Amino acid sequence: MFEVVIGLEVHTQLNTKTKIFCSCSTSFGDEANTHVCPTCLALPGALPVLNKEAVKKAISFGTAINAKINKKSVFNRKNYFYPDLPKAYQISQFEIPIVEGGELIIDVNGTKKRIGVTRAHLEEDAGKNIHEENESLVDLNRAGTPLLEIVSEPDLRSSDEAVAYLKKLHSILRFLNISDANMQEGSFRCDANVSIRPKGDTKLYTRVEIKNLNSFKFIQKAIDYEVERQSAAWEDGKYDEEVYQETRLFDTTNLVTRSMRGKEDSAEYRYFPDPDLLPVEVPEEMYNEAIKIPELAEQKVARYVSELGVKESDALNLTQSVEMARYFEELIAAGIQPKLATTWLIVELLGRLNNGVTIETSPVSSAKMINLLKRIEDGTISGKAAKEVLDYLMEHDADVDSVIEKLGLKQVSDDSAIIAIIDQILAANADKVEEYKNGKDKMFGFFVGQVMKEGKGAFNPGKVNELLKAKIG
Ligand code: ADP
Ligand code: MG
Ligand code: ZN
């Protein structure tokens, strides 16, 4: 049977404020051609000036994947002619990329696997061509946005592994805060190189490159389709005829890949060092700053488990996104018990977020959640009442204490009110009190239940327990 061989090329936009070779804004979604200047319009005589932030972000990435950082790297011109690239070449890196030879450890169904990262290099993004019925338009706002192209070794053996790799990569970029990595907005784009070979064979067979993959679901489906197509060709004795090196596009309507163009060889790009840009030499101080990277998801999981006593499965959940981890850590920093914070975040808050509302757009901010959980911890309201408060806060912009007041959810912690009810319950159940005194311990729970019931949920259960113990020992 066949073995699947996949190598991925990811283009991720670095989240610098300005473009890589000029000071135009990188902001997304604005009116066409409003973020352009002589440099990114490729007017004659305009010269590129390298954005240091982009270099720093690339170095941080290399550090996170245990790669070699080339303190001296070179920018090349990669020639090709499309209107969205008005210079008729793209500034990119070729022989000496800034990042070389790293790794990502992926986890597929509990098994860890090392995937090699060949290189990561800096380059500029192109603009966008927009084709309408009778005309084509060009928007150059995106032209010159810094890109990091991250190329994997052909180490992936299934579409599941490919998706696991991409999710891991995505997480690293987000936790490093070097890219928005937003697939819908195109700031995280993936091309998949796919080939098959007979099991046991170690040589690489002909690869097909699939472009236009903008969701994890489509990446999976495109790879699966392509593997199917190549295997069928092999089995029909038509492999040589039907599988050749080419670029294919994924048709998201019919879920098939279609031939787009024959594959360029790197020779066709006629790379040569860009005479307008000196080789990049990273100063020691800048390098030392860039390699100081924040804690990544994996390290957070380990720390939540060992320092906070969070279950591993919960810790994985809490680090699904950088926003989620931040929210959680804000609760912990405010002194909320980890177990309470975990449950209220994963079960209560996430359970109430839907219709595309995420933790970032949650109507209940971490500050509000802290106030709410403090009111559970200090006994002002019960956990059950807190859920009502949360329901209310999901719909209304209000502060926690006034909602507690408004909904009348305050627990009675006032001893005398509780003692009065305890006396009443004990008097009405003299026979059961006798049984309890004769050793029937479980009667205690019965009394608690009766008192709580009489208190109509407004009594603080801890307080009831304490006062009842004081009464009957
Ligand atoms: P290019 O830039 O021309 O696409 P690269 O040499 O940078 O070429 O390789 C692109 C990707 O293709 C890499 O991720 C690599 O791992 C992958 N790749 C190379 N050969 C194969 C193959 N036979 N099957 C699957 N993937 C492959
Ligand atoms: Mg390629
Ligand atoms: Zn510009």
Side-chain angles (χ1 to χ4, degrees), residues 331 336 340-341 344 369-377:
L331 302 193
I336 305 296
L340 190 70
W344 276 76
M369 186 59 91
I370 289 166
N371 289 339
L372 179 61
L373 299 184
K374 287 234 147 115
R375 291 294 168 259
I376 301 179
E377 289 189 333

Side-chain angles (χ1 to χ4, degrees), residues 2 35 37 68 120 144 198 227 229 233 236 284 344 347 431 456:
F2 301 111
H35 302 304
C37 73
K68 172 179 169 225
V227 168
R229 186 185 73 87
D236 295 348
E284 209 48 33
W344 276 76
V347 182
D431 50 335
K456 305 201 165 47

